[in-house]
Amino acid sequence: MLMSIMKTPGVYVVEKNAFPSSVVEVATAVPAFVGFTEKAENGNKSLLDKPWRIASMAEYHAYFGGAPAPAFTLSASEDGQKADLVSAYGRFNVTRETTFSLYYNMLLFFANGGGPCYVVSVGDYTSDPAADAFLGGINQLLREQEPTMLVIPEAVNLSSDGCKTVQEAMLKHCGYEMRSRFAIVDVFEGNKERTDPAGDVVNDFREYIGSNFLDFGAAYYPWLNTTLVQDGDLDYRSLSDIGPLKDLLKQEAEKSAIVGFSELVDGLEATKDDELTAEAKQVITTNHKILYQVSPIYRDILKEIRFKLNTLPPSAAMAGVFTLVDNSKGVWKAPANVSIAAVNSPCCTVSHAQQEDLNVPISGKAINAIRSFVGEGIKVWGARTLDGNSLDWRYINVRRTIIMIEESIKNAARAYVFDPNTANTWVSVRSMVSNFLTSVWKRGGLAGSTPDDAFSVHIGLGETMTPEDILEGIMRVTVLVAVVRPAEFIEITFQQQMQKS
């Protein structure tokens, strides 16, 4: 009851808030993946082109299905052409027919510390992958407020122009349309060495990525040789046409003294699992195990298939690393000097000297290296955004920390919309923001020996507002923060001194 409407004699109780509203820190590690899935359904409800939140691979299986069936072609290598396999029976190439890989990238994400995330399915495994499908999936994310990262690992499966279109759209979405997300992009054909005769893949990436919103994205090189697909996941039916394989194995059987080898090869069929009985599946498993033991060429073919399936771009793994670092140390810790799980090796070796151009190029478009260190494993060895020349936004953790602070304070400030634009409100807003930033400083997110050194909050008439601002209903708040930056370069100086005894 308000004091102004007291009309009856008596005792009235008036409660006043002693503390300002608090700022709730927004989540920082919620990536959104856009790609193709086996299915997209929640019961009878379609999830196609709809962002859907999951927290584990079990939920992914329930809503989006499993991996695409491996589909490879075995063909003889032409003269002068690089061959995947070289045997006593000829030179052969193993070519992948489908490029759907989101399922494997999700495995890599969760293996590296991934947690809750969003998946936008833009088609199934019968779809024709195109840049427009990914662009449509990005647009669907405009309605979602929770995701803080954008990852589209299948973009590298498009043509160079298609990949360029998608990655430019990712940066625009994060840096212009939302300004609350960070894009993790991959170098197109990043499984190749920079000295490849076809061209320097890193320089090509820097040229096509453009120059807009670079501080809202980061790229990593090279791709990764993962351990996700094992020998037990494959058999001869991974080849869409086993005719060339049977011809090759027949030649091997003719030179072999193994009894029944030739008859076994004659009976091979490429029937899919959904068309087989349990007994037929057992026969296929037995045939596969026998061939794997007696045929070197068969082992080599499956090894090449496994190698191609396990070669993945690093963006999904990095989304997992971002999540792991955020949850264990805070968003202000640079997501670097961290090991990557479920990986055998980088596709290319990057030396100390070779990383100089990756990290500090003339163009400023820094590419973070993934390197293998003896005795330490495979580590992320870079923490820069694509805007490496910017002193403000050079580091990934700085940009993402500012995003967290901005979004947290913005959400809390909504409580004061339409409140009187007076000193009482200004004091409440200043206290609310200062309390939040003090908690961030105590956890190590801001630099400074005292809170006054770490941040300052300014609001008030004559300080951040003019009388005209008051008349127009504008409340201006200025927040200055000193975000911690990584010790990227450590210099240790040694010199000799005179003998003292």
Side-chain angles (χ1 to χ4, degrees), residues 40-42 45-52 63-64 119-121:
E41 56 190 38
N42 178 21
K45 182 180 178 181
S46 173
L47 297 180
L48 189 66
D49 286 324
K50 294 180 181 179
W52 192 254
Y63 298 118
F64 300 105
V119 176
V120 184
S121 175

Side-chain angles (χ1 to χ4, degrees), residues 70 72 74 84-90 92 94 230-253 258 261 264-265 267-270 281-307:
F72 288 81
L74 179 66
D84 294 326
L85 302 171
V86 179
S87 72
Y89 308 101
F92 299 92
V94 179
Q230 301 294 322
D231 289 336
D233 301 325
L234 305 171
D235 57 38
Y236 51 83
R237 295 174 301 159
S238 300
L239 294 169
S240 55
D241 179 10
I242 65 171
L245 173 65
K246 292 176 69 173
D247 293 340
L248 190 58
L249 293 178
K250 287 288 286 185
Q251 296 180 49
E252 190 177 26
I258 299 176
F261 190 176
L264 174 63
V265 173
L268 298 181
E269 295 182 0
K281 292 180 181 179
Q282 183 60 41
V283 170
I284 289 175
T285 301
T286 302
N287 291 343
H288 161 69
K289 290 180 178 179
I290 295 174
L291 286 174
Y292 201 85
Q293 292 296 325
V294 303
S295 173
I297 189 65
Y298 181 72
R299 289 196 299 270
D300 289 344
I301 291 172
L302 289 190
K303 181 180 178 182
E304 185 64 25
I305 291 176
R306 188 178 72 250
F307 172 78

